[in-house]
Amino acid sequence: MSAPTDSIAEQRPNLIAVTNLKKYFPVKSGLLQRVTAWVKAVDGVSFTIKEGECLGLVGESGCGKTTVGRTILRLIRPTAGRVEFDGADIATADTRSLKGMRRNMQIIFQDPYSSLDPRVPIGESIGEGLLIHGMRDKDQRNAIVLDMLKKVGLERYHAERYPHEFSGGQRQRIGIARALALRPKFIVCDEPVSALDVSIQSQVLNLLRELQKEFGLTYLFIAHNLSVVEHISDRVAVMYLGKMAELATREELYRNPLHPYTQALMSAIPVPQPKLKRQRILLKGDVPSPLNPPPGCRFHTRCPIATDICQQAEPAFEQKQTEHWVACHLVPGEATRPVSG
């Protein structure tokens, strides 16, 4: 089945199309290091991202968000499924084709300090991708590096400094400048503000939005903070234990969450009014292990409304309402349209 699409700017084509993506990691043991089990980090995920759109991907730690992002970029080879970038299949691309594609695909890492070489001035780090992709003219590279520094709010003299001389927020701006240097079409933002102070988070988020408009960028924004995702995303996808639980436009998801897991996440968002309180939905137990996920719906062991069918059959990820896809047996739909099989 095809991945879900939406009516937001339908005239724009899909830049990313992910269909039934799976990534299993082997668990080896014994003297001969034989594979004894598989960690099902991502297990049949489908979605699309249109040109110029920002898709937020949220869920608890360990649900497979980062693995999805890295697999889309082919930093990790997928176990199964199809990942199309601008019509070309990344999952089966050879080395030469993949290098050409990667000029248009970049990533902003969660920890800006560990992603920078401490022995190299940040100007060289930003220009490294240009050199790798064939720009031998040093003056031309330097001009682009200085321009990117200006775009992210840093100064020319910062190019000669080393990573340890910057604050966390400045290092993340450096990471953004490095991702932008090649003028990509698509950027995976892997929790880019989770390690920053709240005041700095807003600055970086606003910078990402401004750069998206200026360069026509497409984002996959991975985060666990629903308030952050609401601020920057056009659509939001919710993952649980390697599976897609819900996908909808930002307005629809925050106004009317349908999946019990999404409802529990939404109930934990702080309300900026002291006298107004949300009714918390407290989930029992811990997230099951992806080594041995439960049968049927993977959320049924913690779901407050689970029934027998939830333990027996895996729910299809299907359209329940206009622009709203959910994987739940108990959510009624008008004219359902399955998207994964």
Side-chain angles (χ1 to χ4, degrees):
M1 295 291 182
S2 61
T5 58
D6 68 292
S7 65
I8 295 176
E10 287 230 1
Q11 70 276 12
R12 291 184 292 181
N14 292 328
L15 184 65
I16 302 291
V18 177
T19 306
N20 200 29
L21 179 65
K22 298 182 180 181
K23 178 57 189 176
Y24 298 168
F25 294 98
V27 177
K28 299 179 180 180
S29 62
L31 183 64
L32 300 178
Q33 289 293 288
R34 291 176 175 168
V35 176
T36 57
W38 294 89
V39 176
K40 297 180 179 180
V42 179
D43 196 11
V45 168
S46 299
F47 59 88
T48 61
I49 311 176
K50 291 188 178 295
E51 287 188 4
E53 182 186 23
C54 177
L55 176 68
L57 186 60
V58 301
E60 293 174 280
S61 296
C63 71
K65 307 184 299 296
T66 294
T67 303
V68 167
R70 292 178 181 240
T71 306
I72 288 176
L73 298 178
R74 254 287 290 278
L75 297 176
I76 304 173
R77 186 180 290 272
T79 302
R82 186 175 179 84
V83 179
E84 293 183 29
F85 173 78
D86 214 6
D89 187 9
I90 297 173
T92 58
D94 58 31
T95 304
R96 178 175 295 181
S97 300
L98 190 61
K99 183 178 179 180
M101 293 180 193
R102 279 184 171 157
R103 186 181 183 94
N104 287 311
M105 302 183 298
Q106 295 295 312
I107 184 170
I108 300 170
F109 294 97
Q110 178 179 358
D111 184 356
Y113 187 68
S114 63
S115 66
L116 295 169
D117 189 336
R119 300 165 298 178
V120 175
I122 62 104
E124 291 185 26
S125 293
I126 295 171
E128 185 178 12
L130 297 168
L131 181 62
I132 290 171
H133 284 274
M135 188 177 289
R136 303 298 177 187
D137 189 322
K138 186 175 181 179
D139 291 337
Q140 189 179 4
R141 290 200 311 273
N142 288 340
I144 293 175
V145 168
L146 296 178
D147 183 51
M148 289 300 104
L149 286 173
K150 183 179 179 181
K151 295 287 187 187
V152 300
L154 297 176
E155 301 296 334
R156 297 170 62 94
Y157 61 82
H158 286 140
E160 303 299 324
R161 294 187 176 181
Y162 291 83
H164 72 272
E165 298 180 77
F166 296 92
S167 66
Q170 288 177 320
R171 284 197 287 262
Q172 196 57 283
R173 289 173 185 267
I174 294 165
I176 294 170
R178 184 174 56 179
L180 284 175
L182 287 165
R183 297 294 178 94
K185 294 181 179 179
F186 174 63
I187 297 179
V188 173
C189 305
D190 185 11
E191 302 201 35
V193 297
S194 63
L196 306 178
D197 294 337
V198 174
S199 60
I200 306 300
Q201 285 185 12
S202 61
Q203 295 176 17
V204 173
L205 288 173
N206 290 333
L207 174 63
L208 288 171
R209 293 186 69 179
E210 292 168 6
L211 293 171
Q212 183 183 21
K213 293 177 182 177
E214 181 176 353
F215 295 103
L217 297 169
T218 302
Y219 290 150
L220 174 64
F221 192 92
I222 299 169
H224 59 263
N225 187 325
L226 286 164
S227 299
V228 167
V229 171
E230 183 181 16
H231 180 72
I232 196 171
S233 302
D234 298 305
R235 288 188 302 152
V236 180
V238 181
M239 283 188 68
Y240 182 81
L241 203 61
K243 291 280 190 181
M244 199 70 82
E246 191 163 0
L247 171 63
T249 63
R250 176 188 59 200
E251 295 82 2
E252 173 65 15
L253 189 79
Y254 284 80
R255 180 185 63 84
N256 182 33
L258 297 179
H259 197 284
Y261 177 59
T262 310
Q263 292 171 357
L265 292 179
M266 293 292 183
S267 73
I269 299 177
V271 180
Q273 296 182 24
K275 295 182 180 180
L276 183 63
K277 295 183 179 180
R278 293 182 190 269
Q279 183 171 352
R280 287 293 308 274
I281 301 174
L282 299 176
L283 300 177
K284 298 179 180 179
D286 298 321
V287 180
S289 170
L291 267 172
N292 186 26
C297 175
R298 295 193 174 181
F299 185 59
H300 83 261
T301 57
R302 305 173 72 198
C303 182
I305 60 172
T307 63
D308 290 342
I309 191 173
C310 302
Q311 303 176 33
Q312 299 164 4
E314 182 179 328
F317 186 49
E318 57 191 8
Q319 185 174 348
K320 300 289 188 177
Q321 296 180 7
T322 305
E323 302 181 8
H324 207 146
W325 287 261
V326 186
C328 182
H329 293 296
L330 306 180
V331 175
E334 296 167 359
T336 59
R337 184 175 68 186
V339 296
S340 62

